[in-house]
Each structure stands twice: as structure tokens, then as C-alpha cells.
Amino acid sequence: MIFLYAYRWLLQNVNVYTTMPVYVALSATQAASNKDSLDMDGFAERRCLLHGLDLAIRPGDWVNLVGANGSGKSTLAKVLAGFGQHEATGSIETYALSWFADERSNEVLEQSNRGRNMGFAPLVTQNPELAIVGMTAAEDAMLLLEQLAIPDAEIPSRVADALQRTGLGSLANKPIGQLSGGQKQLAAIAGCIASGADALILDEPTSMLDPEASAAVLQAVRELNRSGTTVVWITQQLEELREGDRVVALANGYKVFDGAAPLFFGRFEGEASSPCERAGLIAPYVVQTVWGLQQEGIELIPAMPLSMDAFVKAVASYGS
């Protein structure tokens, strides 16, 4: 498929501010010296959360947004989702899905756009229970579609399809309280799928899950991305990154890296550390093992395998 628009999001020189209460009384001299960051009464401080951010996300992209606590990841997620509680300057453009063409015939397919919720980019957080309002996964998805004014006749089939795609078809009517953590997260995602949203933002969705549940959620979202959904995947679990992924790293509100995942972990000649380390993050065990081999003069192909399977294959083929 060829999308007939260049970007899903385009941010240029974006600064995002918040106003924080100040609980310590300031003297007149202190207030005067800080007048640019304090309100008229001197009881609130204006703080910049994101600094001069340039970011382009194209339709169908998978973007891993990483960074240490307080780096600005969740703030950026809310900006992309259209939450308006922060003051922002610069240019923020959101492009809704309109048309896309069949690559073989180059014919614009209007029917392929049916059922899409244009411009809607739901935000899934690390605790799905904060977002789930239905008593079952099916009811929760139905309630979301009703809120979005989806025609009643379309709702049952869309909900059934979304639950099937997330592996919850057989659990559609099971009480939410009886679902596992991973199943609850998939239920939250199912509602987003049923809505027809062309983009999905997930803020550390696996941070509260065990490895098996994390893998199930990640696999389901990867499959959505392969079907054309734009995904912003926010994580501190760098084991989730794969060789073909794009990584955007934030540190103290600044974008410090935007590129391919292997380059994010690369220790290049003349550099003592990788972009990952400079962002204040700990590399996965596989990456640290590759670094150890590189120090011994052993260079693998590919140079930076990120999964254990890829690492084993690279080691097995070394020297052959």
C-alpha cells in the first residue's frame, strides 16, 4: 500500500510548558528575578518539559520512544494524542488518514478507508484498569464505539473482529476482573482497534506485565503495525527493540537520538559510549555481550544483533 500523505505527525521546533505550584514564599527580589517564569501572584512556576522538538512520523511507522524517567516521553505521548493540558509553541501538525492506493494498480481505494476513525490516536497507558469501563472486554469496546458515535449496526462486527485480532475472541464476555494483566491490556487495545483508529500510542504498556503477557501484547501490536497502523511504542524495556526499528530517545526534554535501533546501541570509533548510554539507559544483555566481543576484536555480522536468536545466528556464522 502507498499512503497518499507524507506524515501522520509533524512537529517543528516544539516547546511544551507546564505551570507548577510554588509552595515556598519568595521575597520581592526573588520574584523580580524570576518574573519570566512566575505568574502574577508568584505562586506558580512555568517549566519547559520539551525543548525545540523536531519529529516526523509517517503513516505506518513503528517508532520506539525511549528515555529515562522524567525525560519527557509521557508528555510527548499526550501531545501526539491531542491532550491539551499543556501550553505549546512551535508547529504541531496532525494528518488524518484520507486515501491510500493499491500498489499494483495505483487505484485509489475509497472503500478501504471505510470504518476508519480519521485523526483519532488513542493513548494506551501502562495500567489498563484506568481506561477500562466495561464489565467485559466486549462491553468495554462497545462503550468506546458508542462514545465515538459509530453506527449501531457496525458495532458488533467491529468489536468481534478486534477481539479476535487480539486473541480475546473466546474471552469476550469473561468478567474483566477475571482476566490476567496481559489480557486486560489487550482488552484496552481491542477497543482502540475496533474504533478504526489509524494510529496507536502506547505508554509503557508492558511495564506491569510478566514476560509471557508482555510478549503477547507486543506481538499483537506488531501485527497491527504490519497491517498499516502507525504505532508509537513508549518503553524503557530495551529488550523489546528489534533490528529494523526506529528509535527516538529523549533526555531532559531534548531529543538526543533519532535513527535505527542498531545505531542506538553502536559504540563507534572515537566514541566512548553509545547513544543508549548517553541517554542514561541500560542496554540489554545481548547488546552488552556484543560490546564485550567487540572489545576482543570480534565483529559479528550483523554488527549489532538485538534478539537472542539473531545473536546466536551471528555467532554461529562468525568466521565462516
Side-chain angles (χ1 to χ4, degrees):
M1 291 184 296
I2 302 174
F3 291 93
L4 300 185
Y5 61 109
Y7 300 105
R8 182 57 177 81
W9 287 283
L10 181 61
L11 282 63
Q12 297 176 299
N13 194 31
V14 170
N15 298 283
V16 177
Y17 302 90
T18 189
T19 301
M20 304 290 290
V22 176
Y23 297 103
V24 179
L26 299 177
S27 68
T29 301
Q30 289 173 318
S33 64
N34 291 278
K35 62 181 179 180
D36 292 334
S37 62
L38 297 177
D39 69 5
M40 294 293 292
D41 299 320
F43 293 111
E45 180 182 7
R46 186 168 177 260
R47 186 171 300 172
C48 189
L49 303 178
L50 294 175
H51 305 266
L53 184 65
D54 292 318
L55 181 64
I57 299 177
R58 292 176 171 80
D61 275 358
W62 177 287
V63 177
N64 293 288
L65 181 59
V66 304
N69 290 333
S71 61
K73 303 188 301 299
S74 294
T75 298
L76 178 54
K78 292 172 184 176
V79 170
L80 296 177
F83 292 3
Q85 70 266 46
H86 296 306
E87 174 191 353
T89 62
S91 174
I92 302 175
E93 299 181 40
T94 299
Y95 295 80
L97 177 65
S98 52
W99 310 100
F100 56 93
D102 184 276
E103 190 171 2
R104 294 162 297 180
S105 65
N106 204 36
E107 177 187 359
V108 176
L109 302 177
E110 180 178 359
Q111 67 271 21
S112 297
N113 193 40
R114 292 174 184 169
R116 288 286 190 173
N117 194 339
M118 267 60 81
F120 178 57
L123 173 61
V124 178
T125 64
Q126 57 186 282
N127 188 351
E129 294 184 359
L130 297 179
I132 294 176
V133 295
M135 298 298 292
T136 65
E139 184 183 68
D140 186 70
M142 289 178 181
L143 290 172
L144 174 59
L145 298 194
E146 289 174 356
Q147 289 177 345
L148 295 172
I150 302 298
D152 291 344
E154 296 183 20
I155 290 178
S157 61
R158 290 173 67 160
V159 169
D161 176 68
L163 293 172
Q164 197 67 36
R165 292 175 68 185
T166 52
L168 296 179
S170 63
L171 303 174
N173 297 308
K174 187 173 183 178
I176 288 292
Q178 296 179 22
L179 298 181
S180 68
Q183 290 167 342
K184 290 176 183 177
Q185 194 63 281
L186 289 171
I189 294 171
C192 301
I193 298 171
S195 74
D198 68 311
L200 189 59
I201 305 165
L202 302 105
D203 191 355
E204 302 196 39
T206 61
S207 63
M208 299 177 66
L209 305 180
D210 60 48
E212 183 177 355
S214 296
V217 170
L218 181 57
Q219 180 180 350
V221 180
R222 291 268 187 192
E223 191 60 39
L224 283 176
N225 177 247
R226 282 189 283 270
S227 70
T229 302
T230 308
V231 173
V232 178
W233 182 270
I234 303 171
T235 186
Q236 291 193 58
Q237 302 187 49
L238 303 186
E239 295 82 2
E240 297 172 343
L241 275 57
R242 290 296 174 259
E243 285 81 357
D245 285 356
R246 174 185 173 192
V247 177
V248 174
L250 300 180
N252 299 316
Y254 292 89
K255 185 179 75 173
V256 295
F257 181 85
D258 187 349
L263 298 180
F264 182 60
F265 297 112
R267 287 177 171 176
F268 301 104
E269 186 175 353
E271 296 180 346
S273 60
S274 65
C276 168
E277 294 165 286
R278 294 196 292 273
L281 298 171
I282 299 175
Y285 175 76
V286 168
V287 172
Q288 296 187 42
T289 303
V290 172
W291 287 342
L293 293 175
Q294 289 173 345
Q295 290 177 347
E296 298 299 323
I298 299 173
E299 296 291 338
L300 301 176
I301 300 175
M304 184 54 71
L306 298 184
S307 68
M308 185 57 69
D309 287 344
F311 174 75
V312 171
K313 291 178 181 178
V315 171
S317 63
Y318 177 73
S320 60

